[in-house]
Amino acid sequence: MGILKSIFTWWEGATIGTGLATRGMNNVGEDSLGNVYYEGGKDMSGRPRRWVIYNGSNDASRVPPEWFSWLHHLVDAVPDDSMPPRREWQQPPVPNMTGTNLAYRPPGSLDVGGKRVRATGDYEAWTPDA
């Protein structure tokens, strides 16, 4: 099932075509999530072409901020070489949790019971005569 899955599914990592396209390209690094970054060739504006092969599901929110900057040509050097060390107060990036059990559900949403907190009286409805 592995070969057939890599031929026909694009949502769970690289397909065979992507694997063939990366031959001869420069593997420039890997992030903490296991995503692998490549550079090679030129895009239509003459800049080096850069892309990522995801480790797992293809979700752009799984690219850390420093690698996002590199992918979009905001920085020229590879983040491992050019970025300052992470500060102790900085939290690691979190992928998009929409659609998972870890998604944010505000008070009053149907998933939390559908009961909204009663208004406290600080709201006054607008009337055109006022």
Side-chain angles (χ1 to χ4, degrees):
M1 180 71 176
I3 287 266
L4 287 175
K5 188 174 184 180
S6 69
I7 291 173
F8 295 109
T9 62
W10 54 266
W11 52 89
E12 288 186 17
T15 61
I16 286 182
T18 305
L20 293 173
T22 59
R23 290 186 345 201
M25 303 299 173
N26 298 330
N27 179 340
V28 294
E30 185 174 328
D31 65 18
S32 58
L33 298 173
N35 300 326
V36 182
Y37 298 88
Y38 290 91
E39 183 175 47
K42 300 278 183 191
D43 65 8
M44 294 182 71
S45 62
R47 296 182 301 184
R49 185 169 179 239
R50 297 174 175 173
W51 66 95
V52 59
I53 303 224
Y54 297 100
N55 179 24
S57 64
N58 292 339
D59 181 8
S61 71
R62 296 183 64 234
V63 173
E66 59 273 8
W67 282 102
F68 177 89
S69 298
W70 179 82
L71 279 171
H72 293 272
H73 298 278
L74 300 176
V75 295
D76 289 330
V78 176
D80 294 340
D81 302 334
S82 65
M83 299 299 280
R86 185 176 291 274
R87 307 252 170 102
E88 63 182 44
W89 50 265
Q90 286 179 308
Q91 295 181 351
V94 178
N96 185 354
M97 295 296 165
T98 303
T100 69
N101 289 334
L102 299 175
Y104 173 69
R105 291 174 175 84
S109 71
L110 294 177
D111 290 337
V112 182
K115 298 287 185 187
R116 190 173 65 90
V117 178
R118 192 164 173 81
T120 59
D122 60 353
Y123 173 76
E124 195 173 310
W126 177 82
T127 58
D129 300 329

PDB file of all heavy atoms in Angstrom, residues 41-79:
ATOM      1  N   GLY A  41      17.001  25.618  -8.683  1.00  0.00           N
ATOM      2  CA  GLY A  41      16.332  26.190  -9.840  1.00  0.00           C
ATOM      3  C   GLY A  41      15.998  27.650  -9.617  1.00  0.00           C
ATOM      4  O   GLY A  41      16.393  28.251  -8.624  1.00  0.00           O
ATOM      5  N   LYS A  42      15.262  28.225 -10.525  1.00  0.00           N
ATOM      6  CA  LYS A  42      14.871  29.629 -10.436  1.00  0.00           C
ATOM      7  C   LYS A  42      13.376  29.755 -10.657  1.00  0.00           C
ATOM      8  O   LYS A  42      12.784  29.023 -11.445  1.00  0.00           O
ATOM      9  CB  LYS A  42      15.592  30.463 -11.506  1.00  0.00           C
ATOM     10  CG  LYS A  42      17.094  30.444 -11.411  1.00  0.00           C
ATOM     11  CD  LYS A  42      17.580  31.421 -10.401  1.00  0.00           C
ATOM     12  CE  LYS A  42      19.108  31.432 -10.398  1.00  0.00           C
ATOM     13  NZ  LYS A  42      19.637  32.146  -9.302  1.00  0.00           N
ATOM     14  N   ASP A  43      12.771  30.703  -9.950  1.00  0.00           N
ATOM     15  CA  ASP A  43      11.358  30.977 -10.212  1.00  0.00           C
ATOM     16  C   ASP A  43      11.237  32.011 -11.331  1.00  0.00           C
ATOM     17  O   ASP A  43      12.239  32.416 -11.920  1.00  0.00           O
ATOM     18  CB  ASP A  43      10.631  31.418  -8.935  1.00  0.00           C
ATOM     19  CG  ASP A  43      11.122  32.736  -8.377  1.00  0.00           C
ATOM     20  OD1 ASP A  43      11.926  33.413  -9.042  1.00  0.00           O
ATOM     21  OD2 ASP A  43      10.686  33.089  -7.264  1.00  0.00           O
ATOM     22  N   MET A  44      10.043  32.456 -11.636  1.00  0.00           N
ATOM     23  CA  MET A  44       9.835  33.343 -12.782  1.00  0.00           C
ATOM     24  C   MET A  44      10.491  34.716 -12.601  1.00  0.00           C
ATOM     25  O   MET A  44      10.764  35.404 -13.572  1.00  0.00           O
ATOM     26  CB  MET A  44       8.343  33.500 -13.052  1.00  0.00           C
ATOM     27  CG  MET A  44       7.718  32.201 -13.504  1.00  0.00           C
ATOM     28  SD  MET A  44       5.985  32.347 -13.891  1.00  0.00           S
ATOM     29  CE  MET A  44       6.078  33.277 -15.394  1.00  0.00           C
ATOM     30  N   SER A  45      10.746  35.118 -11.352  1.00  0.00           N
ATOM     31  CA  SER A  45      11.385  36.411 -11.127  1.00  0.00           C
ATOM     32  C   SER A  45      12.901  36.288 -10.999  1.00  0.00           C
ATOM     33  O   SER A  45      13.577  37.264 -10.719  1.00  0.00           O
ATOM     34  CB  SER A  45      10.801  37.089  -9.887  1.00  0.00           C
ATOM     35  OG  SER A  45      11.045  36.293  -8.749  1.00  0.00           O
ATOM     36  N   GLY A  46      13.428  35.085 -11.178  1.00  0.00           N
ATOM     37  CA  GLY A  46      14.871  34.876 -11.130  1.00  0.00           C
ATOM     38  C   GLY A  46      15.424  34.537  -9.757  1.00  0.00           C
ATOM     39  O   GLY A  46      16.623  34.329  -9.609  1.00  0.00           O
ATOM     40  N   ARG A  47      14.577  34.480  -8.756  1.00  0.00           N
ATOM     41  CA  ARG A  47      15.040  34.110  -7.410  1.00  0.00           C
ATOM     42  C   ARG A  47      15.133  32.594  -7.303  1.00  0.00           C
ATOM     43  O   ARG A  47      14.451  31.867  -8.027  1.00  0.00           O
ATOM     44  CB  ARG A  47      14.063  34.623  -6.354  1.00  0.00           C
ATOM     45  CG  ARG A  47      13.978  36.126  -6.297  1.00  0.00           C
ATOM     46  CD  ARG A  47      13.046  36.572  -5.200  1.00  0.00           C
ATOM     47  NE  ARG A  47      11.717  36.022  -5.417  1.00  0.00           N
ATOM     48  CZ  ARG A  47      10.663  36.284  -4.668  1.00  0.00           C
ATOM     49  NH1 ARG A  47      10.771  37.083  -3.638  1.00  0.00           N
ATOM     50  NH2 ARG A  47       9.489  35.739  -4.931  1.00  0.00           N
ATOM     51  N   PRO A  48      15.952  32.092  -6.368  1.00  0.00           N
ATOM     52  CA  PRO A  48      16.012  30.634  -6.185  1.00  0.00           C
ATOM     53  C   PRO A  48      14.664  30.094  -5.709  1.00  0.00           C
ATOM     54  O   PRO A  48      14.009  30.710  -4.886  1.00  0.00           O
ATOM     55  CB  PRO A  48      17.077  30.433  -5.114  1.00  0.00           C
ATOM     56  CG  PRO A  48      17.617  31.750  -4.776  1.00  0.00           C
ATOM     57  CD  PRO A  48      16.856  32.802  -5.493  1.00  0.00           C
ATOM     58  N   ARG A  49      14.269  28.970  -6.250  1.00  0.00           N
ATOM     59  CA  ARG A  49      13.004  28.340  -5.868  1.00  0.00           C
ATOM     60  C   ARG A  49      13.199  27.589  -4.562  1.00  0.00           C
ATOM     61  O   ARG A  49      14.175  26.850  -4.399  1.00  0.00           O
ATOM     62  CB  ARG A  49      12.553  27.383  -6.970  1.00  0.00           C
ATOM     63  CG  ARG A  49      11.204  26.799  -6.687  1.00  0.00           C
ATOM     64  CD  ARG A  49      10.649  26.068  -7.895  1.00  0.00           C
ATOM     65  NE  ARG A  49       9.364  25.520  -7.544  1.00  0.00           N
ATOM     66  CZ  ARG A  49       9.082  24.227  -7.602  1.00  0.00           C
ATOM     67  NH1 ARG A  49       9.967  23.383  -8.034  1.00  0.00           N
ATOM     68  NH2 ARG A  49       7.896  23.797  -7.251  1.00  0.00           N
ATOM     69  N   ARG A  50      12.276  27.779  -3.632  1.00  0.00           N
ATOM     70  CA  ARG A  50      12.357  27.137  -2.311  1.00  0.00           C
ATOM     71  C   ARG A  50      11.045  26.429  -2.011  1.00  0.00           C
ATOM     72  O   ARG A  50       9.974  26.936  -2.325  1.00  0.00           O
ATOM     73  CB  ARG A  50      12.619  28.195  -1.237  1.00  0.00           C
ATOM     74  CG  ARG A  50      13.931  28.904  -1.417  1.00  0.00           C
ATOM     75  CD  ARG A  50      14.075  30.036  -0.433  1.00  0.00           C
ATOM     76  NE  ARG A  50      15.398  30.633  -0.551  1.00  0.00           N
ATOM     77  CZ  ARG A  50      15.778  31.717   0.080  1.00  0.00           C
ATOM     78  NH1 ARG A  50      14.953  32.331   0.904  1.00  0.00           N
ATOM     79  NH2 ARG A  50      16.994  32.201  -0.084  1.00  0.00           N
ATOM     80  N   TRP A  51      11.147  25.265  -1.380  1.00  0.00           N
ATOM     81  CA  TRP A  51       9.931  24.546  -1.011  1.00  0.00           C
ATOM     82  C   TRP A  51      10.183  23.634   0.170  1.00  0.00           C
ATOM     83  O   TRP A  51      11.305  23.394   0.571  1.00  0.00           O
ATOM     84  CB  TRP A  51       9.325  23.799  -2.187  1.00  0.00           C
ATOM     85  CG  TRP A  51      10.112  22.670  -2.753  1.00  0.00           C
ATOM     86  CD1 TRP A  51       9.986  21.352  -2.449  1.00  0.00           C
ATOM     87  CD2 TRP A  51      11.149  22.749  -3.717  1.00  0.00           C
ATOM     88  NE1 TRP A  51      10.866  20.613  -3.179  1.00  0.00           N
ATOM     89  CE2 TRP A  51      11.598  21.454  -3.965  1.00  0.00           C
ATOM     90  CE3 TRP A  51      11.757  23.793  -4.404  1.00  0.00           C
ATOM     91  CZ2 TRP A  51      12.625  21.167  -4.852  1.00  0.00           C
ATOM     92  CZ3 TRP A  51      12.769  23.505  -5.291  1.00  0.00           C
ATOM     93  CH2 TRP A  51      13.184  22.202  -5.512  1.00  0.00           C
ATOM     94  N   VAL A  52       9.084  23.110   0.703  1.00  0.00           N
ATOM     95  CA  VAL A  52       9.116  22.255   1.889  1.00  0.00           C
ATOM     96  C   VAL A  52       8.429  20.940   1.562  1.00  0.00           C
ATOM     97  O   VAL A  52       7.457  20.890   0.816  1.00  0.00           O
ATOM     98  CB  VAL A  52       8.432  22.953   3.092  1.00  0.00           C
ATOM     99  CG1 VAL A  52       6.989  23.302   2.786  1.00  0.00           C
ATOM    100  CG2 VAL A  52       8.492  22.095   4.344  1.00  0.00           C
ATOM    101  N   ILE A  53       8.969  19.868   2.111  1.00  0.00           N
ATOM    102  CA  ILE A  53       8.304  18.561   2.072  1.00  0.00           C
ATOM    103  C   ILE A  53       7.919  18.256   3.521  1.00  0.00           C
ATOM    104  O   ILE A  53       8.776  18.125   4.393  1.00  0.00           O
ATOM    105  CB  ILE A  53       9.217  17.475   1.504  1.00  0.00           C
ATOM    106  CG1 ILE A  53       9.664  17.891   0.134  1.00  0.00           C
ATOM    107  CG2 ILE A  53       8.544  16.123   1.583  1.00  0.00           C
ATOM    108  CD1 ILE A  53       9.655  16.911  -0.935  1.00  0.00           C
ATOM    109  N   TYR A  54       6.615  18.190   3.765  1.00  0.00           N
ATOM    110  CA  TYR A  54       6.106  18.031   5.119  1.00  0.00           C
ATOM    111  C   TYR A  54       6.333  16.616   5.638  1.00  0.00           C
ATOM    112  O   TYR A  54       6.250  15.652   4.897  1.00  0.00           O
ATOM    113  CB  TYR A  54       4.607  18.335   5.168  1.00  0.00           C
ATOM    114  CG  TYR A  54       4.267  19.751   4.800  1.00  0.00           C
ATOM    115  CD1 TYR A  54       3.798  20.057   3.533  1.00  0.00           C
ATOM    116  CD2 TYR A  54       4.419  20.770   5.715  1.00  0.00           C
ATOM    117  CE1 TYR A  54       3.483  21.355   3.185  1.00  0.00           C
ATOM    118  CE2 TYR A  54       4.114  22.075   5.385  1.00  0.00           C
ATOM    119  CZ  TYR A  54       3.647  22.362   4.119  1.00  0.00           C
ATOM    120  OH  TYR A  54       3.340  23.640   3.776  1.00  0.00           O
ATOM    121  N   ASN A  55       6.578  16.542   6.925  1.00  0.00           N
ATOM    122  CA  ASN A  55       6.649  15.270   7.621  1.00  0.00           C
ATOM    123  C   ASN A  55       5.256  15.038   8.207  1.00  0.00           C
ATOM    124  O   ASN A  55       4.925  15.551   9.248  1.00  0.00           O
ATOM    125  CB  ASN A  55       7.708  15.313   8.722  1.00  0.00           C
ATOM    126  CG  ASN A  55       7.797  14.017   9.479  1.00  0.00           C
ATOM    127  OD1 ASN A  55       7.430  12.975   8.975  1.00  0.00           O
ATOM    128  ND2 ASN A  55       8.276  14.088  10.700  1.00  0.00           N
ATOM    129  N   GLY A  56       4.427  14.310   7.512  1.00  0.00           N
ATOM    130  CA  GLY A  56       3.054  14.110   7.951  1.00  0.00           C
ATOM    131  C   GLY A  56       2.099  14.881   7.058  1.00  0.00           C
ATOM    132  O   GLY A  56       2.353  15.053   5.869  1.00  0.00           O
ATOM    133  N   SER A  57       1.019  15.369   7.649  1.00  0.00           N
ATOM    134  CA  SER A  57      -0.014  16.034   6.847  1.00  0.00           C
ATOM    135  C   SER A  57       0.493  17.343   6.258  1.00  0.00           C
ATOM    136  O   SER A  57       1.301  18.037   6.862  1.00  0.00           O
ATOM    137  CB  SER A  57      -1.253  16.294   7.706  1.00  0.00           C
ATOM    138  OG  SER A  57      -0.940  17.196   8.743  1.00  0.00           O
ATOM    139  N   ASN A  58       0.016  17.656   5.067  1.00  0.00           N
ATOM    140  CA  ASN A  58       0.402  18.880   4.374  1.00  0.00           C
ATOM    141  C   ASN A  58      -0.420  20.037   4.929  1.00  0.00           C
ATOM    142  O   ASN A  58      -1.513  20.316   4.463  1.00  0.00           O
ATOM    143  CB  ASN A  58       0.173  18.746   2.871  1.00  0.00           C
ATOM    144  CG  ASN A  58       1.111  17.753   2.255  1.00  0.00           C
ATOM    145  OD1 ASN A  58       2.145  17.439   2.801  1.00  0.00           O
ATOM    146  ND2 ASN A  58       0.748  17.253   1.095  1.00  0.00           N
ATOM    147  N   ASP A  59       0.124  20.716   5.908  1.00  0.00           N
ATOM    148  CA  ASP A  59      -0.551  21.816   6.564  1.00  0.00           C
ATOM    149  C   ASP A  59       0.449  22.954   6.726  1.00  0.00           C
ATOM    150  O   ASP A  59       1.441  22.813   7.433  1.00  0.00           O
ATOM    151  CB  ASP A  59      -1.085  21.364   7.916  1.00  0.00           C
ATOM    152  CG  ASP A  59      -1.820  22.451   8.662  1.00  0.00           C
ATOM    153  OD1 ASP A  59      -2.059  23.529   8.079  1.00  0.00           O
ATOM    154  OD2 ASP A  59      -2.157  22.228   9.838  1.00  0.00           O
ATOM    155  N   ALA A  60       0.195  24.065   6.062  1.00  0.00           N
ATOM    156  CA  ALA A  60       1.144  25.180   6.075  1.00  0.00           C
ATOM    157  C   ALA A  60       1.350  25.752   7.466  1.00  0.00           C
ATOM    158  O   ALA A  60       2.385  26.376   7.731  1.00  0.00           O
ATOM    159  CB  ALA A  60       0.674  26.280   5.134  1.00  0.00           C
ATOM    160  N   SER A  61       0.426  25.555   8.385  1.00  0.00           N
ATOM    161  CA  SER A  61       0.622  26.070   9.742  1.00  0.00           C
ATOM    162  C   SER A  61       1.661  25.250  10.502  1.00  0.00           C
ATOM    163  O   SER A  61       2.043  25.614  11.612  1.00  0.00           O
ATOM    164  CB  SER A  61      -0.702  26.093  10.508  1.00  0.00           C
ATOM    165  OG  SER A  61      -1.122  24.792  10.834  1.00  0.00           O
ATOM    166  N   ARG A  62       2.146  24.159   9.920  1.00  0.00           N
ATOM    167  CA  ARG A  62       3.170  23.346  10.562  1.00  0.00           C
ATOM    168  C   ARG A  62       4.583  23.804  10.186  1.00  0.00           C
ATOM    169  O   ARG A  62       5.550  23.137  10.521  1.00  0.00           O
ATOM    170  CB  ARG A  62       2.990  21.874  10.181  1.00  0.00           C
ATOM    171  CG  ARG A  62       1.679  21.316  10.706  1.00  0.00           C
ATOM    172  CD  ARG A  62       1.515  19.857  10.402  1.00  0.00           C
ATOM    173  NE  ARG A  62       2.528  19.092  11.085  1.00  0.00           N
ATOM    174  CZ  ARG A  62       3.348  18.232  10.472  1.00  0.00           C
ATOM    175  NH1 ARG A  62       3.251  18.038   9.191  1.00  0.00           N
ATOM    176  NH2 ARG A  62       4.241  17.574  11.157  1.00  0.00           N
ATOM    177  N   VAL A  63       4.718  24.930   9.493  1.00  0.00           N
ATOM    178  CA  VAL A  63       6.029  25.488   9.167  1.00  0.00           C
ATOM    179  C   VAL A  63       6.367  26.518  10.241  1.00  0.00           C
ATOM    180  O   VAL A  63       5.629  27.485  10.428  1.00  0.00           O
ATOM    181  CB  VAL A  63       6.017  26.164   7.775  1.00  0.00           C
ATOM    182  CG1 VAL A  63       7.313  26.878   7.501  1.00  0.00           C
ATOM    183  CG2 VAL A  63       5.731  25.134   6.703  1.00  0.00           C
ATOM    184  N   PRO A  64       7.478  26.346  10.974  1.00  0.00           N
ATOM    185  CA  PRO A  64       7.861  27.314  12.005  1.00  0.00           C
ATOM    186  C   PRO A  64       8.123  28.697  11.394  1.00  0.00           C
ATOM    187  O   PRO A  64       8.471  28.811  10.217  1.00  0.00           O
ATOM    188  CB  PRO A  64       9.145  26.729  12.600  1.00  0.00           C
ATOM    189  CG  PRO A  64       9.110  25.280  12.247  1.00  0.00           C
ATOM    190  CD  PRO A  64       8.364  25.181  10.959  1.00  0.00           C
ATOM    191  N   PRO A  65       7.966  29.763  12.181  1.00  0.00           N
ATOM    192  CA  PRO A  65       8.098  31.127  11.652  1.00  0.00           C
ATOM    193  C   PRO A  65       9.428  31.406  10.963  1.00  0.00           C
ATOM    194  O   PRO A  65       9.469  32.081   9.932  1.00  0.00           O
ATOM    195  CB  PRO A  65       7.936  32.012  12.893  1.00  0.00           C
ATOM    196  CG  PRO A  65       7.221  31.175  13.878  1.00  0.00           C
ATOM    197  CD  PRO A  65       7.589  29.760  13.588  1.00  0.00           C
ATOM    198  N   GLU A  66      10.520  30.903  11.516  1.00  0.00           N
ATOM    199  CA  GLU A  66      11.822  31.196  10.902  1.00  0.00           C
ATOM    200  C   GLU A  66      11.956  30.552   9.516  1.00  0.00           C
ATOM    201  O   GLU A  66      12.508  31.136   8.591  1.00  0.00           O
ATOM    202  CB  GLU A  66      12.978  30.784  11.813  1.00  0.00           C
ATOM    203  CG  GLU A  66      13.014  29.324  12.195  1.00  0.00           C
ATOM    204  CD  GLU A  66      12.196  28.983  13.424  1.00  0.00           C
ATOM    205  OE1 GLU A  66      11.457  29.829  13.932  1.00  0.00           O
ATOM    206  OE2 GLU A  66      12.294  27.831  13.875  1.00  0.00           O
ATOM    207  N   TRP A  67      11.408  29.350   9.372  1.00  0.00           N
ATOM    208  CA  TRP A  67      11.449  28.699   8.056  1.00  0.00           C
ATOM    209  C   TRP A  67      10.436  29.328   7.113  1.00  0.00           C
ATOM    210  O   TRP A  67      10.652  29.376   5.905  1.00  0.00           O
ATOM    211  CB  TRP A  67      11.232  27.195   8.184  1.00  0.00           C
ATOM    212  CG  TRP A  67      12.463  26.490   8.641  1.00  0.00           C
ATOM    213  CD1 TRP A  67      12.732  26.042   9.898  1.00  0.00           C
ATOM    214  CD2 TRP A  67      13.616  26.184   7.850  1.00  0.00           C
ATOM    215  NE1 TRP A  67      13.976  25.469   9.933  1.00  0.00           N
ATOM    216  CE2 TRP A  67      14.539  25.536   8.687  1.00  0.00           C
ATOM    217  CE3 TRP A  67      13.952  26.389   6.526  1.00  0.00           C
ATOM    218  CZ2 TRP A  67      15.770  25.091   8.247  1.00  0.00           C
ATOM    219  CZ3 TRP A  67      15.181  25.940   6.070  1.00  0.00           C
ATOM    220  CH2 TRP A  67      16.081  25.299   6.926  1.00  0.00           C
ATOM    221  N   PHE A  68       9.333  29.828   7.618  1.00  0.00           N
ATOM    222  CA  PHE A  68       8.374  30.551   6.784  1.00  0.00           C
ATOM    223  C   PHE A  68       9.059  31.765   6.155  1.00  0.00           C
ATOM    224  O   PHE A  68       8.891  32.046   4.969  1.00  0.00           O
ATOM    225  CB  PHE A  68       7.174  31.001   7.627  1.00  0.00           C
ATOM    226  CG  PHE A  68       6.161  31.806   6.864  1.00  0.00           C
ATOM    227  CD1 PHE A  68       5.125  31.180   6.208  1.00  0.00           C
ATOM    228  CD2 PHE A  68       6.251  33.191   6.812  1.00  0.00           C
ATOM    229  CE1 PHE A  68       4.193  31.926   5.499  1.00  0.00           C
ATOM    230  CE2 PHE A  68       5.331  33.937   6.109  1.00  0.00           C
ATOM    231  CZ  PHE A  68       4.294  33.302   5.455  1.00  0.00           C
ATOM    232  N   SER A  69       9.850  32.475   6.956  1.00  0.00           N
ATOM    233  CA  SER A  69      10.581  33.648   6.453  1.00  0.00           C
ATOM    234  C   SER A  69      11.553  33.246   5.354  1.00  0.00           C
ATOM    235  O   SER A  69      11.701  33.950   4.356  1.00  0.00           O
ATOM    236  CB  SER A  69      11.338  34.325   7.589  1.00  0.00           C
ATOM    237  OG  SER A  69      10.448  34.781   8.559  1.00  0.00           O
ATOM    238  N   TRP A  70      12.210  32.123   5.521  1.00  0.00           N
ATOM    239  CA  TRP A  70      13.152  31.660   4.502  1.00  0.00           C
ATOM    240  C   TRP A  70      12.413  31.254   3.225  1.00  0.00           C
ATOM    241  O   TRP A  70      12.821  31.603   2.120  1.00  0.00           O
ATOM    242  CB  TRP A  70      13.983  30.497   5.041  1.00  0.00           C
ATOM    243  CG  TRP A  70      14.947  29.972   4.041  1.00  0.00           C
ATOM    244  CD1 TRP A  70      16.180  30.472   3.734  1.00  0.00           C
ATOM    245  CD2 TRP A  70      14.767  28.833   3.192  1.00  0.00           C
ATOM    246  NE1 TRP A  70      16.757  29.725   2.740  1.00  0.00           N
ATOM    247  CE2 TRP A  70      15.915  28.714   2.397  1.00  0.00           C
ATOM    248  CE3 TRP A  70      13.742  27.904   3.019  1.00  0.00           C
ATOM    249  CZ2 TRP A  70      16.071  27.702   1.459  1.00  0.00           C
ATOM    250  CZ3 TRP A  70      13.887  26.910   2.087  1.00  0.00           C
ATOM    251  CH2 TRP A  70      15.044  26.810   1.316  1.00  0.00           C
ATOM    252  N   LEU A  71      11.300  30.526   3.369  1.00  0.00           N
ATOM    253  CA  LEU A  71      10.543  30.075   2.202  1.00  0.00           C
ATOM    254  C   LEU A  71      10.051  31.250   1.358  1.00  0.00           C
ATOM    255  O   LEU A  71      10.009  31.168   0.140  1.00  0.00           O
ATOM    256  CB  LEU A  71       9.328  29.245   2.638  1.00  0.00           C
ATOM    257  CG  LEU A  71       9.568  27.791   2.986  1.00  0.00           C
ATOM    258  CD1 LEU A  71       8.318  27.195   3.603  1.00  0.00           C
ATOM    259  CD2 LEU A  71      10.009  26.997   1.787  1.00  0.00           C
ATOM    260  N   HIS A  72       9.684  32.342   1.998  1.00  0.00           N
ATOM    261  CA  HIS A  72       9.108  33.489   1.303  1.00  0.00           C
ATOM    262  C   HIS A  72      10.141  34.571   0.995  1.00  0.00           C
ATOM    263  O   HIS A  72       9.767  35.715   0.723  1.00  0.00           O
ATOM    264  CB  HIS A  72       7.943  34.046   2.115  1.00  0.00           C
ATOM    265  CG  HIS A  72       6.788  33.100   2.179  1.00  0.00           C
ATOM    266  ND1 HIS A  72       5.797  33.066   1.237  1.00  0.00           N
ATOM    267  CD2 HIS A  72       6.488  32.100   3.048  1.00  0.00           C
ATOM    268  CE1 HIS A  72       4.930  32.121   1.532  1.00  0.00           C
ATOM    269  NE2 HIS A  72       5.330  31.511   2.621  1.00  0.00           N
ATOM    270  N   HIS A  73      11.411  34.207   1.051  1.00  0.00           N
ATOM    271  CA  HIS A  73      12.522  35.098   0.689  1.00  0.00           C
ATOM    272  C   HIS A  73      12.586  36.357   1.549  1.00  0.00           C
ATOM    273  O   HIS A  73      13.027  37.402   1.090  1.00  0.00           O
ATOM    274  CB  HIS A  73      12.455  35.482  -0.796  1.00  0.00           C
ATOM    275  CG  HIS A  73      12.575  34.309  -1.714  1.00  0.00           C
ATOM    276  ND1 HIS A  73      13.787  33.766  -2.058  1.00  0.00           N
ATOM    277  CD2 HIS A  73      11.642  33.563  -2.348  1.00  0.00           C
ATOM    278  CE1 HIS A  73      13.592  32.745  -2.879  1.00  0.00           C
ATOM    279  NE2 HIS A  73      12.298  32.590  -3.054  1.00  0.00           N
ATOM    280  N   LEU A  74      12.126  36.277   2.801  1.00  0.00           N
ATOM    281  CA  LEU A  74      12.263  37.408   3.708  1.00  0.00           C
ATOM    282  C   LEU A  74      13.651  37.443   4.316  1.00  0.00           C
ATOM    283  O   LEU A  74      14.125  38.509   4.719  1.00  0.00           O
ATOM    284  CB  LEU A  74      11.205  37.341   4.810  1.00  0.00           C
ATOM    285  CG  LEU A  74       9.749  37.372   4.311  1.00  0.00           C
ATOM    286  CD1 LEU A  74       8.783  37.198   5.458  1.00  0.00           C
ATOM    287  CD2 LEU A  74       9.474  38.663   3.572  1.00  0.00           C
ATOM    288  N   VAL A  75      14.301  36.286   4.420  1.00  0.00           N
ATOM    289  CA  VAL A  75      15.708  36.192   4.828  1.00  0.00           C
ATOM    290  C   VAL A  75      16.424  35.350   3.788  1.00  0.00           C
ATOM    291  O   VAL A  75      15.835  34.465   3.171  1.00  0.00           O
ATOM    292  CB  VAL A  75      15.870  35.575   6.237  1.00  0.00           C
ATOM    293  CG1 VAL A  75      15.258  36.451   7.308  1.00  0.00           C
ATOM    294  CG2 VAL A  75      15.274  34.191   6.315  1.00  0.00           C
ATOM    295  N   ASP A  76      17.702  35.656   3.574  1.00  0.00           N
ATOM    296  CA  ASP A  76      18.460  34.924   2.555  1.00  0.00           C
ATOM    297  C   ASP A  76      19.134  33.675   3.104  1.00  0.00           C
ATOM    298  O   ASP A  76      19.190  32.656   2.438  1.00  0.00           O
ATOM    299  CB  ASP A  76      19.513  35.837   1.936  1.00  0.00           C
ATOM    300  CG  ASP A  76      18.868  36.887   1.052  1.00  0.00           C
ATOM    301  OD1 ASP A  76      17.803  36.602   0.469  1.00  0.00           O
ATOM    302  OD2 ASP A  76      19.419  37.989   0.952  1.00  0.00           O
ATOM    303  N   ALA A  77      19.649  33.771   4.331  1.00  0.00           N
ATOM    304  CA  ALA A  77      20.396  32.648   4.898  1.00  0.00           C
ATOM    305  C   ALA A  77      19.445  31.639   5.532  1.00  0.00           C
ATOM    306  O   ALA A  77      18.339  31.977   5.952  1.00  0.00           O
ATOM    307  CB  ALA A  77      21.379  33.153   5.939  1.00  0.00           C
ATOM    308  N   VAL A  78      19.887  30.416   5.615  1.00  0.00           N
ATOM    309  CA  VAL A  78      19.115  29.343   6.251  1.00  0.00           C
ATOM    310  C   VAL A  78      18.937  29.691   7.731  1.00  0.00           C
ATOM    311  O   VAL A  78      19.878  30.138   8.384  1.00  0.00           O
ATOM    312  CB  VAL A  78      19.842  27.997   6.080  1.00  0.00           C
ATOM    313  CG1 VAL A  78      19.112  26.890   6.802  1.00  0.00           C
ATOM    314  CG2 VAL A  78      19.983  27.677   4.603  1.00  0.00           C
ATOM    315  N   PRO A  79      17.727  29.528   8.288  1.00  0.00           N
ATOM    316  CA  PRO A  79      17.457  29.924   9.667  1.00  0.00           C
ATOM    317  C   PRO A  79      18.408  29.315  10.704  1.00  0.00           C
ATOM    318  O   PRO A  79      18.722  29.964  11.697  1.00  0.00           O
ATOM    319  CB  PRO A  79      16.024  29.459   9.908  1.00  0.00           C
ATOM    320  CG  PRO A  79      15.415  29.446   8.572  1.00  0.00           C
ATOM    321  CD  PRO A  79      16.512  29.074   7.624  1.00  0.00           C
TER     322      PRO A  79
END
